[in-house]
Amino acid sequence: MAAYVPQQIDVVSGEQYRYALTNFRIAHEKVEEQRRQLEEQEKQVALLRARIALLEGTANDEQQEGRHYGGSSVDDFSIKNAASQLERSINRWAADVVRAPPSALSEIHGAALGDITGSYDPVPYDPSPMQVQNILRHAMSEVIGSEIINNLVVTNSPEANVQLTRIHEHLFARNPVVACVWRRQTFSAAVETCDPEMTASILAETLPALTKVLGGSTSKTTPILASAYTFSRMLHGAPSPSTDVFYRSFVPEIGSILYPRQIELVRRCLKSERGEQDRVGATIFPGLVKVARGGVTTNEQNQETVHTVVRRAQVICECALASSGNVPMQG
């Protein structure tokens, strides 16, 4: 029969036990204090949102939205949906121009590329219809991004809209929640549609050569900018789950490096598949980012601005663009 081996028991001194117990109690109290602070913070945020809803007159709407999902609020899904519809409108316009060009395709391509880059030197190749269509989509994307989405188009005066955009930037830098309330209240009094004169002014200023080559008529582009304005109003004026964010667009420049987190390739990129670096051939629709300030601090003006990509820019790379014609790729 095996001999009995007594088990060894770890024994700590009374002083060590009391020390460990004290540390545990202190840690527990700190965790409990943090929990109470978080609960209080959530209560304050809920009260603030209720106050904002009351000021905006949307308190009843938000209660309805709590019972029936959707309503007039804007979320990432509805944004992507509306963006896809606008993207299709731009593509149809570009395809129609290429199908029945008012000028030579080389002239249209040169004018669009010149308006985009600022250099109107003739290109050393004959662009294909696909290349012209994509450069037209890039040109329209820049107009929509810089002039419609990134500007608060509230009135039919471009100068007034610029001033309102600056006021919003100043408010957002100081207090994002106040800026959100101001922006929604401002858009509640915005014009329903853009004046045709302002639309023509935007195109003449941003795409002067292309507008001239296309015959100076804005009848084909006005519906696109009207849809872009509706999209912008949805982004900036509709209630959203967050009361301290706003949206901005970005258009990757032609020839810039491809960044996977910011762009989505619409065609296969052979260079990237080989592990080689490729560049942007054309951006066919802007990307969208949600701009917010960092976590709650005692000094709100010191908060870091955070950009979250909601919808990546739709891009065709240089190698894919070159495969449809004789475009020389950058090294």
Side-chain angles (χ1 to χ4, degrees), residues 272-290:
S272 295
E273 290 179 1
R274 294 195 300 264
E276 301 174 16
Q277 187 179 79
D278 201 3
R279 298 176 182 274
V280 174
T283 299
I284 62 175
F285 194 78
L288 287 172
V289 294
K290 186 186 297 183

Side-chain angles (χ1 to χ4, degrees), residues 148-223:
I148 305 295
I149 297 177
N150 290 350
N151 265 335
L152 300 186
V153 181
V154 179
T155 74
N156 280 314
S157 167
E159 295 79 11
N161 293 334
V162 169
Q163 291 299 322
L164 290 171
T165 303
R166 290 175 179 170
I167 291 172
H168 175 263
E169 291 174 352
H170 177 72
L171 289 174
F172 188 82
R174 294 178 62 86
N175 191 315
V177 176
V178 171
C180 178
V181 174
W182 178 88
R183 186 176 65 250
R184 292 179 187 171
Q185 289 287 354
T186 301
F187 265 92
S188 67
V191 293
E192 289 296 326
T193 58
C194 286
D195 189 87
E197 293 182 0
M198 189 176 78
T199 301
S201 173
I202 290 174
L203 292 171
E205 183 178 343
T206 55
L207 302 175
L210 181 60
T211 302
K212 184 177 180 180
V213 168
L214 294 181
S217 173
T218 60
S219 59
K220 302 292 185 181
T221 53
T222 297

Side-chain angles (χ1 to χ4, degrees), residues 274-331:
R274 294 195 300 264
E276 301 174 16
Q277 187 179 79
D278 201 3
R279 298 176 182 274
V280 174
T283 299
I284 62 175
F285 194 78
L288 287 172
V289 294
K290 186 186 297 183
V291 184
R293 303 302 293 275
V296 178
T297 63
T298 54
N299 188 352
E300 293 182 345
Q301 296 188 48
N302 291 333
Q303 293 178 17
E304 180 183 358
T305 301
V306 179
H307 295 76
T308 305
V309 177
V310 175
R311 190 178 194 269
R312 291 182 292 174
Q314 306 298 292
V315 168
I316 181 170
C317 64
E318 277 191 344
C319 71
L321 196 63
S323 68
S324 62
N326 300 314
V327 179
M329 290 187 291
Q330 296 186 19

